[in-house]
Amino acid sequence: MAMPVGILRLRDVFVLFVLLSCLCSTSSGGTKSMVSVPDLQQLMYTTIDSYPCVRLLSLSGEVGCANPGRHKVVAPIVKLDDSTQLTRPSAVLLSVDQIDGFFKRISNDPVFSGNIVGALVELESPSQNSILGFSPADKFPQAIFAPYKNTSYEWNPLGSGILQNAHQFPVFLLSENSSSTVHKLSTMNEKSKKDYTEHVAEFDLVMQTTKSVTRDTRACLEGRSCLPLGGYSVWSSLPPINVSQTGKRKPIILTTASMDSASIFRDKNLGAESPISGLIAMLAAIDALSHLDGLVDADRQLVFLAFTGEAWGYLGSRRFLLELDLRSDYVGGLDDSSIEMVVEIGSVGKGGGQGVQKFFSHVTGVSSATNETMDAFVHAKDTLNSEKVELSYASASNPGIPPSSLMSFLKKNPATSGVVLEDFDSAFSNKFYHSHLDGLLNINASSIAAAASLVARTLFILATNDSNLSNSALSTISANISLVEELMGCLLTCDPGLSCHLVQNYIVPRTVCPSHYVGVMLGAPSSNPGSGYVDDISRFVWNFLAEKTSASGKNSLSTCGNNCSNGVCIKSETNPSGGTCVLSTTRYVPAYSTRLTIENDFWKLLPGNSSDPMGMVDPVWTESNWDTIGLRVYTVQASVFDHFVLLGGIAITLLAYLMIVTSRAFIEKALKRD
């Protein structure tokens, strides 16, 4: 059974005393000496490299995972299989393909769920097992925000919905090395059931919202035990916009992509196919267009926007549209009435098949703008003969556009003209949507590069308003597949990860392994936030866009110095002299719920507003605070052995007492005879 941590700590003190005695007597025998308690703790405890499932909250309650109370929990490790019947509190070890079944059993078997102290999930990749698919998201992700009524449609047929469940026990995803370690310990526990020792896991996943009993967003914001999900989106124009210009502006072609994903496990969150393949395609398209001179005098203005927070209530797109309404400094130079067309790049990493890159266009409806955009797409596709690209309209039987940022635009203005480019027709091609398994092996560079070239040529046709551009003129606009591959390595792996040359040319990343979880809002929103308030991915994208969309060299300064009022300062983190000042219209836009405001450094919930229909149904996601998160394993004596020692001690005490009484009587009798 699970043992109270207090009793274990008393035992630890005793074991430490014994080990110190032993080590003192053996330190001169040629073995490695231990000179401090931390040395002994390192010997006794093994810290497990892992990724936690943490506690999130909404207006309706909790999701995610946490310790049930205020303290760490400890239990023996048990490998889960179909025949496992738990008779005592246990820490279960399970594989990825057991997750759905495990959580269903938790819901349906109260005896089983009552004996779950924690769960440990082994790390596997699609190439290492026969998993046909795993998606913890809903079958229609974020259906409450859909701009149409058919919300029972299954865009994500493999979706189990467990991402929205709340668990009153800790769950950790183990790293590859830790998976092997913990698996061996569970096997040793299975083989040594009659021994007097067992291997246990100690979970430290105590959430502040649990300690303060603030079980929803409203309560935790008032109790200051949580922070709202959010971050910073990035937008940039090509060429730069003259913000001070008065009068009528050029019509805008707005191209968007998302840069955040979701997963059960907070920090194992890559989202390679959904949505990072689209982000990489947009960055590659911008790079391809940045080498052209014809956009300065183009009839339309190109604007690019990388949203964050889209996986948790379309935070980025909704906040962007609100800032447009407010005409805030975040969107200076933009006007929502000037947005003529929205082109969104969705999941485009799995378009390849049998040597053909196949994509689908999901349109908002029939309009002159969408017709012109689709004509441009078809023209661009026809010039990509060498890449063997196919482009088709999505099925008319679909209820509307798939889950995407474009939904926010349609909710605000149903007449919005827009196209979402995807690699699927009626259902996601991504079998690992919003799963930690949606990694590098789930996409291919050729598909992303083809999508980037298709989008770049389409945008050039639309910007120049010339549908008669020759193939030779468009053939010079092609995505750099080497850049695509480099971005994949930087944004989707730990080696090189964010330590790659491309990223480190712009920023000093805080971590090496990328994660595309949106994170939480730190401090008050700002149009010029410090690097400590913006995550690595957003800072990299901002610097990349600012450089690629900047005006030519004569408008650039060699160093920022103290004056960069006419431009933006890029590479300031990596350049000892303070960075380079370039003429670019690149801005941060905060991404957080439209139902929130900050007053005196504390977040407050705003009442619902009927003019904001998406805000009326917004869950308003927050993340619980915590002190530390950790997972470690060690060996303890079985409770049976403790009971045996106790009974043995009692028996010896009684026997000794009887022997004393008997001996005393015998001695007294002998003395009387003498």
Side-chain angles (χ1 to χ4, degrees), residues 140-142 145-148 155 314 344 401-412 614:
F140 190 146
Q142 306 194 90
F145 297 109
Y148 44 82
W155 288 106
Y314 299 112
E344 180 168 353
I401 61 171
S404 57
S405 302
L406 187 53
M407 285 185 169
S408 297
F409 290 82
L410 287 174
K411 272 288 194 178
K412 183 176 183 296
M614 295 185 84

Side-chain angles (χ1 to χ4, degrees), residues 87-161:
T87 57
R88 58 175 180 160
S90 304
V92 294
L93 176 66
L94 56 149
S95 58
V96 172
D97 58 351
Q98 292 177 303
I99 292 180
D100 282 341
F102 169 73
F103 285 114
K104 288 178 182 177
R105 190 174 175 184
I106 288 286
S107 302
N108 301 325
D109 187 342
V111 175
F112 178 77
S113 62
N115 283 316
I116 299 296
V117 171
L120 304 166
V121 182
E122 296 180 271
L123 180 62
E124 300 173 80
S125 67
S127 65
Q128 295 171 322
N129 52 62
S130 58
I131 298 175
L132 298 178
F134 170 65
S135 174
D138 293 329
K139 294 184 183 299
F140 190 146
Q142 306 194 90
I144 57 174
F145 297 109
Y148 44 82
K149 295 181 179 179
N150 185 4
T151 57
S152 61
Y153 187 82
E154 296 186 2
W155 288 106
N156 183 31
L158 294 175
S160 64

Side-chain angles (χ1 to χ4, degrees), residues 12 23 334 615:
D12 292 345
L23 289 167
L334 299 182

Side-chain angles (χ1 to χ4, degrees), residues 31-107:
T31 60
K32 183 179 179 180
S33 62
M34 298 290 170
V35 296
S36 66
V37 170
D39 290 337
L40 285 173
Q41 289 179 328
Q42 189 174 8
L43 180 66
M44 294 170 61
Y45 302 104
T46 301
T47 300
I48 298 299
D49 185 23
S50 55
Y51 310 92
C53 161
V54 301
R55 174 69 76 223
L56 300 181
L57 305 99
S58 69
L59 291 176
S60 58
E62 300 174 316
V63 303
C65 317
N67 280 20
R70 297 169 172 264
H71 306 289
K72 301 175 185 178
V73 290
V74 181
I77 304 167
V78 176
K79 182 73 174 77
L80 184 68
D81 57 42
D82 294 337
S83 61
T84 301
Q85 297 295 328
L86 300 179
T87 57
R88 58 175 180 160
S90 304
V92 294
L93 176 66
L94 56 149
S95 58
V96 172
D97 58 351
Q98 292 177 303
I99 292 180
D100 282 341
F102 169 73
F103 285 114
K104 288 178 182 177
R105 190 174 175 184
I106 288 286
S107 302

Side-chain angles (χ1 to χ4, degrees), residues 234-243 301-304 330-334 542 545-547 549-551 566-568 582-588:
V234 180
W235 73 269
S236 186
S237 64
L238 181 66
I241 296 174
N242 183 357
V243 178
Q301 177 71 54
L302 296 182
V303 174
F304 299 90
Y330 299 119
V331 292
L334 299 182
W542 185 91
L545 293 186
E547 182 175 59
T549 63
S550 63
N566 295 323
V568 295
V582 296
L583 182 58
S584 173
T585 312
T586 302
R587 305 284 186 268
Y588 284 118

Side-chain angles (χ1 to χ4, degrees), residues 516-551:
H516 301 291
Y517 174 64
V518 60
V520 295
M521 288 297 295
L522 299 173
S526 170
S527 58
N528 187 28
S531 61
Y533 296 91
V534 187
D535 66 47
D536 289 341
I537 305 301
S538 292
R539 294 192 342 271
F540 163 69
V541 170
W542 185 91
N543 278 270
F544 183 94
L545 293 186
E547 182 175 59
K548 295 297 182 180
T549 63
S550 63

